[in-house]
Amino acid sequence: MTDTYTKFIRSAPGAFIARRTGLPRPSTLPRRGDRPAPILGPVVVLGESAGADQVARDLLGEGADVRRRFDELRSVGSVIAVLDEISAPADLGRILLPLAGAMRSLAPGARVVTISRPAQGEDPARDAARGGVEGFLRSLAHEMRRGGTANGILVQDGVDLDAPGVTGALRFLLSARSAFVAGQFLTVSSAAGSLTENRDRPLAGRTALVTGAARGIGAAIARTLAADGARLVVLDVPGAGTDLSQLANELRAVPVQLDVTSEGAGERLVSFLRERSLVLDIAVLNAGITRDKLFANMTSDRWDPVLAVNIASQVALTDALIEAGDVLGEQPRVVSLASTSGIAGNRGQTNYAASKAGVIAFVDALAARLESLGGTANAVAPGFIETEMTAKMPALTREVARRLNSLQQGGLPVDVAEAIAFLSSAEAGGIRGGTLRVCGQNMVGK
């Protein structure tokens, strides 16, 4: 959708006015097509541990220009601060403060990533240091400029820093695919997963289902998964049949017209897959609706459909797929669409927020259920994304929502799709039951 303000501010007259008045000046965010290089260099790896040495070696093996200090660097593309062995708060400054003097040297679209361990509630001094990384990282993300982002990776004790999930998360956060992810942490809880040699087509040979695929974010997800090599099964309600057929023809996908809230929808989907000898490796549960109203005016005709589509259908479909036993592949990936409304709440959206908070809890429980299959379940929580739905918001509300994040602009459907593609990959095998916000570090919630 058109962001008229941003277009004006990026013009010469608009930039002059913004400088003089202090108005927000959203930077251009390089995305996959703008910055195909997987890593923006040079890369500076900070840290004193064996894990820091390992990360530096791995990046060198991928052809990155790796340094261990900022000395004589006039421009820095990426910074990785490895804090996996910190044991007291005093350790933070020793590793992190060299970055302070280099902040003005960060290139447009730069990436800063911390790698640390989560607090365990065992050693007060060590946990204080580990907890301090979160406060540092989230604050630094607010200070990044020119389209740069800062994010973190939390690696559970006992998981080495060369585990596939750590390498995969680092690849994603360093790449242009994470353009609208800021101030967030990915938690790697196990050494499961495997690295992808073909980074241009990491989903080659995999079959993916996308619900709510006919338009908007769903269509962007389908296109991104297809670009990454996946074979697509695209599903939407019969009323969206024309758009669904067009998308299926574009992507050479298999279309399914099905109301996910109808009785027996899961069983009908299983039958459809069996009839066509399709086995799903990835299920993206994107179908969703809104029926906004203040709770004082809420009625069952607004409440029930939102809960039915946004969360009850996800439970029913995954139950049917798992219980069928023959329509899910090895190490399946389930990715559900949550929302920042489910994290922080939103006025007039008690029904929507309830459904999306339900999604966040659902994937945590589902991940445990899929673990025996070598599978994962995670969620992506978009913030303000430029879609047909947000284009219908009142102009002032829409404008405020766009600026209410560290990147001072709305995200694009492809930003959500890129996060889902990563969580659908083999490299994300060690990430389970988490929710990744794609919100430009929205000012509400974490």
Side-chain angles (χ1 to χ4, degrees):
M1 300 301 110
T2 302
D3 183 347
T4 305
Y5 172 83
T6 295
K7 287 185 176 181
F8 173 68
I9 286 299
R10 289 174 182 167
S11 68
F16 174 78
I17 292 172
R19 284 194 299 269
R20 295 293 296 270
T21 61
L23 289 170
R25 298 173 60 191
S27 298
T28 300
L29 304 182
R31 293 180 168 88
R32 191 196 308 203
D34 309 307
R35 201 201 90 190
I39 301 173
L40 184 63
V43 184
V44 177
V45 178
L46 302 175
E48 306 162 344
S49 67
D53 296 337
Q54 180 67 55
V55 169
R57 285 195 299 271
D58 290 346
L59 290 170
L60 282 169
E62 295 192 17
D65 177 6
V66 180
R67 316 290 180 91
R68 297 304 300 268
R69 294 183 298 275
F70 293 103
D71 298 355
E72 300 180 0
L73 286 177
R74 299 183 63 181
S75 178
V76 178
S78 305
V79 179
I80 304 165
V82 183
L83 303 111
D84 60 319
E85 293 185 5
I86 56 175
S87 59
D91 296 338
L92 293 170
R94 190 171 65 253
I95 296 173
L96 295 172
L97 280 176
L99 172 58
M103 288 296 291
R104 291 180 176 83
S105 300
L106 295 180
R111 298 288 188 264
V112 176
V113 180
T114 61
I115 302 177
S116 59
R117 307 278 187 185
Q120 298 292 335
E122 298 171 353
D123 183 324
R126 186 188 66 181
D127 283 356
R130 291 180 173 188
V133 176
E134 180 174 346
F136 164 78
L137 188 281
R138 293 193 193 281
S139 296
L140 181 69
H142 287 299
E143 298 181 14
M144 297 292 288
R145 295 293 179 263
R146 298 191 292 174
T149 63
N151 293 286
I153 303 170
L154 292 174
V155 186
Q156 289 286 356
D157 288 335
V159 178
D160 294 334
L161 298 198
D162 61 352
V166 180
T167 301
L170 187 58
R171 286 177 171 180
F172 172 68
L173 293 175
L174 290 177
S175 75
R177 298 185 179 206
S178 61
F180 202 59
V181 178
Q184 305 304 310
F185 283 85
L186 284 166
T187 298
V188 180
S189 58
S190 78
S194 59
L195 293 180
T196 304
E197 293 185 10
N198 186 350
R199 294 180 64 178
D200 291 329
R201 292 175 62 81
L203 302 181
R206 309 277 282 175
T207 299
L209 167 73
V210 181
T211 70
R215 58 179 71 89
I217 291 175
I221 294 167
R223 291 187 175 102
T224 299
L225 297 182
D228 281 354
R231 179 186 184 186
L232 268 295
V233 179
V234 290
L235 182 153
D236 216 313
V237 293
T242 300
D243 289 337
L244 188 69
S245 295
Q246 291 176 350
L247 180 70
N249 289 336
E250 173 192 338
L251 302 179
R252 297 184 179 179
V254 180
V256 186
Q257 294 187 32
L258 179 66
D259 181 348
V260 293
T261 67
S262 61
E263 186 176 356
E267 289 70 24
R268 289 202 296 279
L269 175 60
V270 168
S271 296
F272 178 90
L273 296 171
R274 285 173 173 163
E275 288 170 4
R276 288 157 181 78
S277 300
L278 292 170
V279 175
L280 298 179
D281 303 292
I282 301 161
V284 181
L285 306 176
N286 166 73
I289 61 172
T290 58
R291 296 288 188 272
D292 296 352
K293 209 73 171 177
L294 290 176
F295 190 63
N297 301 317
M298 186 64 66
T299 55
S300 60
D301 63 323
R302 289 181 178 274
W303 181 277
D304 293 345
V306 171
L307 273 292
V309 175
N310 295 2
I311 180 58
S313 71
Q314 295 195 13
V315 176
L317 287 182
T318 52
D319 279 349
L321 292 173
I322 293 170
E323 291 169 5
D326 60 347
V327 294
L328 282 182
E330 296 181 359
Q331 301 179 354
R333 302 282 185 263
V334 176
V335 187
S336 296
L337 263 290
S339 168
T340 53
S341 292
I343 297 170
N346 198 19
R347 177 180 168 84
Q349 287 196 320
T350 52
N351 51 356
Y352 185 74
S355 71
K356 295 303 185 178
V359 168
I360 293 169
F362 163 70
V363 297
D364 189 23
L366 183 62
R369 187 178 180 189
L370 291 174
E371 190 170 0
S372 62
L373 303 176
T376 66
N378 293 284
V380 170
F384 183 91
I385 305 296
E386 302 283 357
T387 63
E388 291 181 7
M389 182 179 73
T390 55
K392 296 175 183 176
M393 295 169 62
L396 181 58
T397 303
R398 183 172 64 249
E399 193 59 32
V400 170
R402 281 174 171 149
R403 310 305 157 207
L404 202 62
N405 64 68
S406 295
L407 298 174
Q408 300 182 321
Q409 58 194 285
L412 302 180
V414 70
D415 296 322
V416 181
E418 294 283 23
I420 288 169
F422 163 64
L423 292 172
S424 300
S425 70
E427 294 183 345
I431 302 172
R432 294 175 176 169
T435 296
L436 176 62
R437 287 180 54 164
V438 181
C439 63
Q441 199 183 23
N442 194 283
M443 303 301 180
V444 295
K446 286 188 176 181

